[in-house]
């Protein structure tokens, strides 16, 4: 992905929380998000072999947060089971768990400094939702001078059409190759993960 020195990527897994995957909530995103679990776990395994950083960033909202003054219902409340990472993902003790107060994993967290301390140059981002927290994190990664990859098969939103619109919007953008859209297999190949 980079001429010369190799990239050092971090895998940022966004909002793969129990509230989103709870069938009782009957959310349209749930069946689409379930399809991302296998490719995310495959990337996790590849990142572990390379000893590259893995971050699970999760919503940590409060019921009185500003974002709930619109149509969005309170969810992923700090300290609740619903705000925990789903059990289906291969999260280990050495992975970073990062509760976040708003959409981006960079907003009012120490993620920028934490990644730079580890020499990270590229953020590979997946999770939910493509058009909110995943995209906000990707755009902030660019703002903090990291290359960014939107992992298309590791991300989901409320409809396949909406997901594809976001992907198509960023497939050919003026930030390429600093911001790219790749599926997990092409990304793994580009990183030499085999």
């Amino acid at each position: 992905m980079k001429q010369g020195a190799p990239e050092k990527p971090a895998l940022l897994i966004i909002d793969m929380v129990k509230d989103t995957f709870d069938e009782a909530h009957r959310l349209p995103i749930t069946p689409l998000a379930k399809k991302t679990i296998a490719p995310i776990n495959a990337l996790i395994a590849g990142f572990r072999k390379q000893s590259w950083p893995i971050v699970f960033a999760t919503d940590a909202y409060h019921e009185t947060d500003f974002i709930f003054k619109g149509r969005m219902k309170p969810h992923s409340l700090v300290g609740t089971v619903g705000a925990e990472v789903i059990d289906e993902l291969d999260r280990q003790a050495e992975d970073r768990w990062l509760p976040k107060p708003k959409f981006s994993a960079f907003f009012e967290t120490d993620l920028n400094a934490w990644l730079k301390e580890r020499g990270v140059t590229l953020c590979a981002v997946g999770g939910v939702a493509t058009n909110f927290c995943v995209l906000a994190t990707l755009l902030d990664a660019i703002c903090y001078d990291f290359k960014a990859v939107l992992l298309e098969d590791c991300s989901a939103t409320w409809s396949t059409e909406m997901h594809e619109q976001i992907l198509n919007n960023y497939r050919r953008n003026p930030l390429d190759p600093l911001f790219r859209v790749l599926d997990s297999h092409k990304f793994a190949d580009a990183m030499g993960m085999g």
Side-chain angles (χ1 to χ4, degrees):
M1 301 198 89
K2 178 179 176 183
Q3 301 292 339
E7 300 290 354
K8 176 153 185 204
L11 180 60
L12 308 183
I13 303 162
I14 309 298
D15 296 335
M16 297 289 281
V17 295
K18 292 179 180 176
D19 268 352
T20 301
F21 287 80
D22 186 340
E23 296 284 351
H25 294 160
R26 304 179 69 163
L27 301 173
I29 196 171
T30 303
L32 299 169
K34 283 184 175 184
K35 295 177 183 176
T36 69
I37 294 171
I40 290 173
N41 277 333
L43 274 183
I44 288 171
F47 268 67
R48 285 204 205 294
K49 286 181 187 169
Q50 301 292 332
S51 298
W52 290 333
I54 300 167
V55 178
F56 290 85
T58 56
D59 289 332
Y61 297 138
H62 295 275
E63 211 162 345
T64 57
D65 280 350
F66 176 75
I67 60 168
F68 299 133
K69 296 190 184 312
R71 292 183 359 194
M72 186 181 293
K73 292 183 176 21
H75 64 280
S76 302
L77 300 177
V78 67
T80 66
V81 171
E84 295 174 2
V85 176
I86 59 170
D87 297 330
E88 293 84 352
L89 289 177
D90 181 24
R91 181 171 157 232
Q92 300 294 321
E94 67 267 21
D95 300 329
R96 174 87 191 270
W97 176 50
L98 182 73
K100 58 186 182 65
K102 293 290 186 266
F103 303 133
S104 171
F106 288 94
F107 181 79
E108 292 186 2
T109 71
D110 67 346
L111 183 58
N112 174 42
W114 189 87
L115 293 172
K116 289 194 172 147
E117 284 169 9
R118 285 150 184 80
V120 169
T121 60
L122 181 151
C123 295
V125 185
V128 297
T130 313
N131 54 327
F132 274 94
C133 299
V134 171
L135 184 58
T137 298
L138 285 157
L139 293 174
D140 275 355
I142 292 290
C143 291
Y144 283 107
D145 300 330
F146 296 101
K147 289 185 177 180
V149 173
L150 171 49
L151 297 164
E152 63 181 274
D153 58 333
C154 296
S155 303
T157 193
W158 293 272
S159 73
T160 303
E161 295 76 21
M162 189 181 303
H163 179 69
E164 286 300 321
Q165 286 173 355
I166 296 297
L167 298 179
N168 289 333
N169 193 46
Y170 288 97
R171 281 190 209 285
R172 306 186 116 231
N173 72 78
L175 292 173
D176 189 295
L178 303 177
F179 180 8
R180 299 178 70 193
V181 175
L182 295 172
D183 71 27
S184 59
H185 302 289
K186 288 181 182 166
F187 174 75
D189 288 345
M191 292 290 102
M193 294 165 66

